[in-house]
Amino acid sequence: MMLVVSVPLHVTLADWGSILPELVVTGGFLVLLLADAFIPVRRTEVATGIALLTILLAFLAAMNLWSHGMAASLYDTVSSDKFAVFFDFVILVSAALTALLSPSYIRYSHFDPGEFYALILASAVGMMFMAAAISLMVIFIALELLSLALYILSGFERSRPESQEAGFKYFLLSSFASAFLVYGMAMVYGATGTTRILQIATCLGHGAGCSAAASASPLLYIGVGLMLVGFAFKVSIVPFHMWTPDVYQGAPTPVTAFMSVTTKAAVFAAFIRVFNFALAPIESHWYGVVWALAIVTMVVGNIVALVQTSMKRLLAYSGIAHAGYILVALAADNALGQTSVAFYFLAYAFMNIGAFVVVAVMESQEGPVGDEIASYRGLFYRNPSLAGATAVFMFSLAGFPLTAGFVAKYLAFSAAVQAHHTDLAIIGVLTSLISIYYYLRVVYVMLRRPEVPGVQSPPTPAAADLAAWIAVAGTIGLGIIPTGFLNLATQSVTAIRYIFGLP
Amino acid sequence: MPYAVYLILFFPFLGFVLNALLPLNNRVVSLVGPGSVLLAFVSAAYSFNWLHGRPDTPLGRSYDAVFTRWALAGPFHLNVGFLLDPLSSLMTLIITGVGFLILVYSTGYMRGEDGYRRFFAQMDLFILAMLILVLADNYIWLLIGWAGVGLTSYLLIGYYFLRPSAVAAARKAFVMNVIGDWGMMIAIFMMFVLFGGVDFNTVFTKVHVQPYDGLIPTVLALFLLVGAVAKSAQIPLYTWLPDAMEGPTPVSALIHAATMVTAGVYLIARSYPIYQQSPFALHVVAFIGCAGVVFAATMGLANNDIKRVLAYSTMSQIAYMFCGVGVAVYSAGMFHLLEHAFFKALLFMGAGAVMHALGDELDIQKMGGLRHKLPFVYWTFLVGVLAIIGTPLFSGFFSKEDVIGAVFGRAQSGDGWDWLVWALLVIGAGLTAIYMFRLFFLVFHGDPRDRELYDHAHGPGWSMKAPMLVLSVLAVIGGYIAFPGQYNLLDAFLSPVFARWPHNGPAIVAQPFSLASMLATLLLTLVGFLVAYAIYYRRNPAPQRVGSLAPAVYRLLYHRYYVDEIYDAAFVWTTRTFYRLTDRFFEEDTLDNIVDGFGVVTRLAGGWLRGAQTGFVRNYALGILFGAVLIVGYYVIGGR
């Protein structure tokens, strides 16, 4: 059978415009690499400034794209629909917060600032492409691009063996998982004859453009299973999660902060495009597996978090648990579920990076023990504003009302209820109940009287302080007045559903 | 520009944030605290003026400023919205105007106190919450303001938190107010279930469809009334108000006299479409009111604490307002609310000045003869007393006459019960004259009973005098916005509010003027004055001697009808006994073990699962492979 695919013969200016945010960040990446060699003084400040400027320009480009996006461009490989742009916002906001929390850590660990930010930006390009990809091939390339930069970043602290170990572990295991993903993609291609998401959906939905047997082919289902493994690894779904605590703990804290939010956001964006749109016609065939993965992830993530003594490992398990909640929303496979995923990552960007800002500040003030939860003892007396911010993030991660975390979790679970998956919602609520223990334990420890009374912490570095305040404002703002941002998320989902002909 | 309504809220918010978060020194705080409220007053006046310039129709005279859509849950949504109409506009003027004067007074009164900045931060927060309460366009935001004023009231009653009695009083006020919040919440839940919305427009449009005198409007109105009664310190949830006098005097003036405690009256007036559907609920409001007028006044007769006498008088005056709204002449209740804010704030400021002069002495039995030492306070206090007892041509006369005349008018066409209400109100007017002049004579006339206190008395400074002067002027002329039988500007101004939503109740109109009612009230007031004059003027009778005129009655009044003791026995003791028993026999042995058991098992599971985390890459890869085999196996075996 001949496959006839219509391809435009040349790339127009509009095509380039549709990836302008990615191009801007790529430009920033190149400038940083070059400039790194020529910055004579105040290297950290200048490099941070260039990174922030790049992010700001990319943000403006993304805002422009919000109303001028194209459903498909560059030979139908990337889309600049509002869904992609929304995730661009999330990734750029996270990158900006990371850039603000990094300088003190860069000085503390003697990093090369230009190289560090260049890699952050390179990884951000991969993430943005991943969120925009509408072809399995581009998804894979973007994933490799973002991962390669993150491998290096995880091992960036060369003087510390844990960091090197983290980088290497991440590299090995991630490559292993990527193999599953690409193999799965190949099989899906084999079954449907296309790698384009829209065409996979049409093929499986109406049997159009491919052989009628495609949706009955065992190739397809094995491919779906293998892709699931690949995606699940990247977003730390149990049992593919085991790298997460080791890498989160070993990697430099700003890197952990960045990757914990953005990797998940980018991969979940692609995850949704593939599973909720391309594979929507065979939802009944993947729902069971996703259902089981979500439950195991929520249970294991929350239970193991109970016994952690390191703040970064605690946040790693918390991240696993949150991946479980988000998977619940993905499993709902409805508009509300997709909206809630989008909103979830906006909320997560503020509360989770906020929590890592605290870790970074603690580490730069107290050395490696700053990662121990025990070292938070008496923080309310030593540094009330930092402790107050920590409390806000913990309450939000636990999902207390009036915080972003509550709204996000509420939306995710109500999507599950709307899709008649009440069991997932109930398990989600019960496991969040467990999570309250370990989140509030941090608050409790901070409130305990310090062992040495009367000692004040050194002042928080200005940039990190700003990052913490922005994160607090975002966490509380999204919790009290979620409406405006929820509207954006709804619009982004409406846009992508429109492309696929869904209401 | 209607957006000035946001500014009314913004300035107190700004004042609160600045005072609460920045380490300002006391001079800046003295500027930020009253200044922010003054700006809010200017915005409120501007909004009032803007509203007044709009067409005189129910819809023309109301503007719903929707700040943002807030909560969304399926088809239900809730706005952060503020309703500017004559009723809320009047309230914002009272709150910011009187609030500003009291904050200026506070800069003098609180000088040198610990926690000066905390005081002003909390006062600003109170004003913000109170403004949210009156400006909200739905019951949820009304409740948020409602709870906010409850919180700040709690904080400010407990301002001297090192004094156990202040802490106990704060707690009592909080618990009783939460009972009221509970009632409000039940009412709001009912609205949500019955009408599918909690904004005023939805509720008031749909409640009209309910049968007149039917069960649903009655139950709704009564649950709202629980909230109103608790907040406004009416029977039976009033015992917190006298104790609340533990707070600093400006707090008593602002929160526990002029604004917060009148919120119940506002709530009933605001919810008039609900009350209009239920004649029974309206009767309950009027009965609570008329009983409270006499009940509180009698307790004021035998109390020796200058602020508590004023607290009982507040309760009694609010009871008048309840009677006004209880006979569906809402403008009369609001009129008395307005005038009461002037003269009661003035009286509290006078009491504060006296306390200030005597080193925080509260016992009126130790005072006396202070008119020589504090002439300014004497004259302004006299204006307040004349206003509150309803001396003709003083403000209280017009508003009280409006309420009593309204009840009289309704009684003529009513079912007979209204005559009882009217009679008690007239008697209450007489009692008011007795206890207010008793207070006045004991404090300012006669000979000093505590020489040392008297000798050290000193007058207030200008920051305290100026607001008192302004309020005395208002306590005289504030009433001329209405003249019995001639004109009533306030009723005319408020009437669009009460014409906006349909109802089946009695027509909401001002009642015709009745000379007989006025003469009866004035006569009893005169008798009351003469009784007080005969007993207390110049003679300094010991309380025991006055008590011996009727020992049993005196003891009953002195102990405030033993209501506190009865509540303690009926509610506090039983609750405490119940929880002790359950704690001993249920909590410790059974529940604790179950709950701890869950925790222990979960942590054990965590420890066990952590064992899988070996740190070896080969094990992790095995985990991935294991998962992959499971998933692919599922598909291969045919789980599709």
Side-chain angles (χ1 to χ4, degrees):
Chain A
M1 190 199 73
M2 273 285 289
L3 261 176
V4 184
V5 182
S6 70
V7 204
L9 291 174
H10 63 284
V11 177
T12 62
L13 202 60
D15 282 310
W16 293 116
S18 76
I19 55 165
L20 192 58
E22 286 91 338
L23 291 179
V24 170
V25 181
T26 312
F29 159 72
L30 294 173
V31 168
L32 266 172
L33 272 189
L34 286 175
D36 193 34
F38 303 106
I39 308 172
V41 284
R42 305 181 74 82
R43 295 164 55 86
T44 311
E45 285 82 353
V46 174
T48 311
I50 296 176
L52 280 173
L53 186 67
T54 308
I55 293 164
L56 178 70
L57 289 176
F59 200 89
L60 293 177
M63 276 169 70
N64 178 49
L65 213 51
W66 179 259
S67 40
H68 302 101
M70 294 164 75
S73 57
L74 290 170
Y75 302 102
D76 286 350
T77 54
V78 294
S79 165
S80 48
D81 54 28
K82 287 183 179 173
F83 189 70
V85 178
F86 187 92
F87 277 88
D88 285 352
F89 288 143
V90 172
I91 291 160
L92 291 169
V93 166
S94 311
L97 287 174
T98 309
L100 283 176
L101 85 93
S102 297
S104 55
Y105 199 91
I106 289 176
R107 276 186 223 109
Y108 158 74
S109 304
H110 307 293
F111 284 174
D112 186 309
E115 198 185 337
F116 178 81
Y117 284 122
L119 285 167
I120 292 270
L121 292 185
S123 152
V125 173
M127 289 160 183
M128 290 159 79
F129 267 121
M130 182 130 186
I134 50 171
S135 151
L136 296 181
M137 308 282 276
V138 179
I139 290 180
F140 184 72
I141 294 169
L143 183 65
E144 288 308 296
L145 174 56
L146 78 90
S147 300
L148 279 170
L150 286 179
Y151 302 150
I152 307 171
L153 282 170
S154 300
F156 206 74
E157 210 167 348
R158 291 175 207 111
S159 56
R160 204 157 55 90
E162 291 88 347
S163 176
Q164 296 187 17
E165 182 189 329
F168 199 61
K169 246 182 202 167
Y170 191 27
F171 168 62
L172 283 178
L173 292 168
S174 184
S175 315
F176 188 51
S178 290
F180 283 100
L181 182 67
V182 75
Y183 197 18
M185 286 173 170
M187 289 196 169
V188 172
Y189 173 68
T192 60
T194 177
T195 56
R196 295 202 168 81
I197 284 172
L198 190 56
Q199 287 173 10
I200 296 175
T202 358
C203 163
L204 297 177
H206 313 293
C210 66
S211 98
S215 55
S217 157
L219 269 187
L220 175 70
Y221 297 105
I222 294 171
V224 167
L226 292 174
M227 286 205 302
L228 205 49
V229 173
F231 282 129
F233 174 87
K234 299 289 176 187
V235 295
S236 328
I237 299 289
V238 178
F240 314 103
H241 68 290
M242 291 207 253
W243 60 277
T244 316
D246 292 12
V247 173
Y248 277 22
Q249 192 183 18
T253 306
V255 175
T256 314
F258 180 65
M259 69 193 273
S260 69
V261 173
T262 47
T263 318
K264 247 178 228 168
V267 175
F268 256 110
F271 206 163
I272 283 184
R273 274 192 206 271
V274 174
F275 276 78
N276 274 2
F277 293 106
L279 302 179
I282 54 163
E283 190 221 323
S284 58
H285 297 276
W286 56 257
Y287 173 69
V289 180
V290 171
W291 176 85
L293 289 177
I295 291 176
V296 181
T297 307
M298 289 189 289
V299 171
V300 171
N302 279 312
I303 286 185
V304 183
L306 290 177
V307 289
Q308 300 305 318
T309 54
S310 144
M311 190 70 180
K312 281 163 91 176
R313 285 186 88 87
L314 178 92
L315 287 171
Y317 282 104
S318 134
I320 294 169
H322 279 280
Y325 308 141
I326 300 171
L327 199 58
V328 169
L330 184 138
D333 195 14
N334 54 20
L336 185 58
Q338 289 136 15
T339 310
S340 75
V341 173
F343 185 86
Y344 211 113
F345 278 109
L346 197 59
Y348 200 56
F350 289 114
M351 60 191 183
N352 211 45
I353 295 187
F356 277 109
V357 170
V358 176
V359 178
V361 171
M362 289 292 284
E363 280 181 339
S364 59
Q365 285 179 354
E366 316 210 347
V369 292
D371 179 37
E372 294 297 315
I373 295 173
S375 71
Y376 283 68
R377 178 163 171 184
L379 193 64
F380 264 110
Y381 306 93
R382 295 205 303 274
N383 192 343
S385 65
L386 188 68
T390 317
V392 169
F393 303 137
M394 291 298 134
F395 276 109
S396 181
L397 286 166
F400 275 72
L402 297 186
T403 62
F406 168 77
V407 182
K409 220 181 251 184
Y410 168 79
L411 290 170
F413 294 158
S414 53
V417 172
Q418 202 182 66
H420 305 292
H421 303 154
T422 320
D423 47 352
L424 282 180
I426 290 174
I427 294 170
V429 171
L430 286 180
T431 49
S432 334
L433 205 64
I434 298 175
S435 76
I436 291 173
Y437 173 81
Y438 59 81
Y439 289 125
L440 292 200
R441 194 161 57 100
V442 177
V443 180
Y444 160 76
V445 170
M446 291 192 302
L447 274 170
R448 287 184 63 190
R449 294 253 164 217
E451 280 165 341
V452 192
V455 181
Q456 290 294 310
S457 296
T460 314
D465 211 23
L466 180 63
W469 279 109
I470 293 173
V472 167
T475 306
I476 295 178
L478 284 177
I480 296 178
I481 318 172
T483 332
F485 297 97
L486 199 53
N487 262 341
L488 291 183
T490 312
Q491 280 179 38
S492 77
V493 169
T494 312
I496 187 174
R497 289 181 75 86
Y498 176 77
I499 294 173
F500 285 87
L502 296 167
Chain B
M1 188 189 64
Y3 294 104
V5 65
Y6 297 135
L7 289 180
I8 306 178
L9 294 160
F10 173 72
F11 288 118
F13 174 72
L14 188 69
F16 164 65
V17 169
L18 291 179
N19 278 335
L21 296 183
L22 300 182
L24 308 174
N25 68 31
N26 285 359
R27 288 182 59 179
V28 182
V29 169
S30 314
L31 212 64
V32 170
S36 58
V37 181
L38 179 65
L39 289 172
F41 176 73
V42 172
S43 317
Y46 180 88
S47 305
F48 174 87
N49 191 41
W50 177 81
L51 198 66
H52 204 258
R54 306 245 304 169
D56 190 8
T57 58
L59 280 174
R61 284 285 171 89
S62 85
Y63 179 80
D64 198 358
V66 177
F67 185 66
T68 176
R69 280 203 162 190
W70 193 46
L72 298 159
F76 172 77
H77 74 268
L78 185 66
N79 290 337
V80 180
F82 304 105
L83 179 65
L84 187 70
D85 68 358
L87 186 59
S88 59
S89 186
L90 174 70
M91 289 300 289
T92 55
L93 283 176
I94 298 175
I95 295 160
T96 53
V98 177
F100 167 66
L101 293 174
I102 291 175
L103 283 180
V104 171
Y105 176 87
S106 308
T107 59
Y109 187 86
M110 299 301 289
R111 178 165 296 144
E113 296 274 359
D114 285 341
Y116 189 77
R117 186 161 67 92
R118 172 167 59 97
F119 176 84
F120 279 94
Q122 290 174 355
M123 286 294 250
D124 274 332
L125 181 62
F126 166 77
I127 287 179
L128 173 67
M130 190 71 205
L131 288 168
I132 290 176
L133 193 169
V134 298
L135 281 171
D137 76 346
N138 58 67
Y139 277 100
I140 295 280
W141 273 89
L142 191 149
L143 182 68
I144 289 174
W146 195 264
V149 294
L151 169 72
T152 41
S153 160
Y154 164 79
L155 291 171
L156 285 162
I157 295 171
Y159 179 77
Y160 301 111
F161 54 77
L162 294 177
R163 215 160 61 194
S165 58
V167 175
R171 200 163 48 205
K172 188 172 183 179
F174 196 75
V175 169
M176 288 212 157
N177 271 293
V178 166
I179 297 175
D181 297 352
W182 167 83
M184 294 268 296
M185 278 161 74
I186 300 286
I188 294 172
F189 292 156
M190 283 181 62
M191 290 168 195
F192 175 67
V193 171
L194 291 168
F195 310 136
V198 295
D199 55 300
F200 292 152
N201 201 21
T202 307
V203 173
F204 296 161
T205 315
K206 292 190 176 168
V207 77
H208 173 241
V209 184
Q210 300 292 329
Y212 179 65
D213 206 8
L215 189 63
I216 284 170
T218 305
V219 173
L220 263 182
L222 290 181
F223 272 117
L224 285 177
L225 186 60
V226 173
V229 159
K231 195 62 81 192
S232 291
Q234 293 301 304
I235 299 169
L237 296 175
Y238 68 90
T239 54
W240 64 271
L241 184 61
D243 290 7
M245 298 298 123
E246 290 284 349
T249 309
V251 172
S252 314
L254 179 61
I255 302 185
H256 304 118
T259 53
M260 184 191 85
V261 284
T262 57
V265 181
Y266 167 79
L267 177 69
I268 296 172
R270 172 56 80 200
S271 312
Y272 79 91
I274 301 176
Y275 283 89
Q276 287 292 95
Q277 287 298 106
S278 170
F280 176 76
L282 275 177
H283 267 88
V284 174
V285 174
F287 288 146
I288 285 180
C290 68
V293 165
V294 174
F295 188 66
T298 51
M299 288 190 287
L301 283 176
N303 206 295
N304 287 327
D305 179 317
I306 184 170
K307 282 178 72 184
R308 284 180 191 232
V309 173
L310 290 179
Y312 284 119
S313 116
T314 302
M315 179 183 163
S316 174
Q317 297 302 312
I318 295 172
Y320 273 105
M321 303 169 204
F322 265 58
C323 290
V325 295
V327 294
V329 185
Y330 300 98
S331 70
M334 294 306 295
F335 189 17
H336 199 51
L337 189 159
L338 171 69
E339 304 308 331
H340 176 256
F342 296 149
F343 59 67
K344 188 49 68 66
L346 174 64
L347 287 169
F348 266 111
M349 285 182 179
V354 169
M355 287 168 61
H356 206 251
L358 301 181
D360 286 341
E361 182 55 57
L362 285 163
D363 189 350
I364 53 178
Q365 297 296 347
K366 291 186 183 164
M367 299 173 185
L370 285 173
R371 71 177 186 281
H372 305 297
K373 280 280 194 176
L374 307 168
F376 178 82
V377 182
Y378 172 79
W379 286 109
T380 50
F381 204 85
L382 180 63
V383 169
V385 171
L386 291 175
I388 194 175
I389 68 168
T391 315
L393 306 184
F394 282 77
S395 63
F397 165 75
F398 299 104
S399 60
K400 200 179 279 185
E401 190 45 50
D402 204 20
V403 171
I404 300 180
V407 177
F408 190 82
R410 289 290 193 208
Q412 285 175 319
S413 58
D415 50 14
W417 285 107
D418 288 336
W419 286 115
L420 174 70
V421 177
W422 180 81
L424 286 172
L425 292 193
V426 174
I427 294 171
L431 290 171
T432 309
I434 301 182
Y435 72 75
M436 283 313 297
F437 268 105
R438 166 179 177 267
L439 179 71
F440 183 71
F441 289 145
L442 281 176
V443 172
F444 291 104
H445 282 270
D447 301 320
R449 280 172 294 263
D450 187 326
R451 202 71 226 180
E452 195 175 337
L453 276 179
Y454 179 83
D455 287 341
H456 288 93
H458 56 91
W462 269 107
S463 57
M464 289 162 74
K465 277 187 186 171
M468 292 169 76
L469 202 60
V470 175
L471 279 176
S472 356
V473 172
L474 285 172
V476 179
I477 65 164
Y480 289 93
I481 53 174
F483 202 93
Q486 299 303 313
Y487 62 90
N488 191 338
L489 294 180
L490 189 74
D491 185 68
F493 177 64
L494 289 177
S495 59
V497 177
F498 301 111
R500 176 156 176 203
W501 287 287
H503 60 84
N504 296 327
I508 304 174
V509 287
Q511 295 300 304
F513 169 67
S514 152
L515 193 64
S517 166
M518 190 178 92
L519 289 178
T521 314
L522 286 179
L523 182 69
L524 269 167
T525 307
L526 185 64
V527 170
F529 168 72
L530 291 175
V531 170
Y533 185 83
I535 301 180
Y536 292 102
Y537 187 69
R538 279 188 192 287
R539 285 203 221 154
N540 288 337
Q544 292 77 12
R545 260 192 51 214
V546 181
S548 65
L549 296 174
V553 175
Y554 181 78
R555 213 175 308 125
L556 191 64
L557 295 183
Y558 184 77
H559 290 284
R560 294 160 290 165
Y561 297 98
Y562 297 97
V563 171
D564 269 310
E565 286 78 3
I566 294 169
Y567 280 5
D568 267 353
F571 301 111
V572 180
W573 185 84
T574 46
T575 313
R576 203 169 273 170
T577 314
F578 178 71
Y579 82 59
R580 283 205 180 123
L581 287 175
T582 49
D583 183 49
R584 174 73 191 77
F585 294 108
F586 186 58
E587 180 85 25
E588 279 178 19
D589 299 342
T590 322
L591 271 186
D592 267 5
N593 287 339
I594 296 175
V595 172
D596 287 356
F598 274 115
V600 168
V601 169
T602 317
R603 277 190 71 98
L604 275 179
W608 176 70
L609 279 172
R610 187 164 65 163
Q613 200 74 27
T614 54
F616 293 119
V617 172
R618 54 175 184 271
N619 290 2
Y620 293 0
L622 207 61
I624 296 172
L625 198 62
F626 167 74
V629 167
L630 273 187
I631 293 176
V632 174
Y634 166 81
Y635 282 121
V636 169
I637 291 169
R640 52 201 148 101

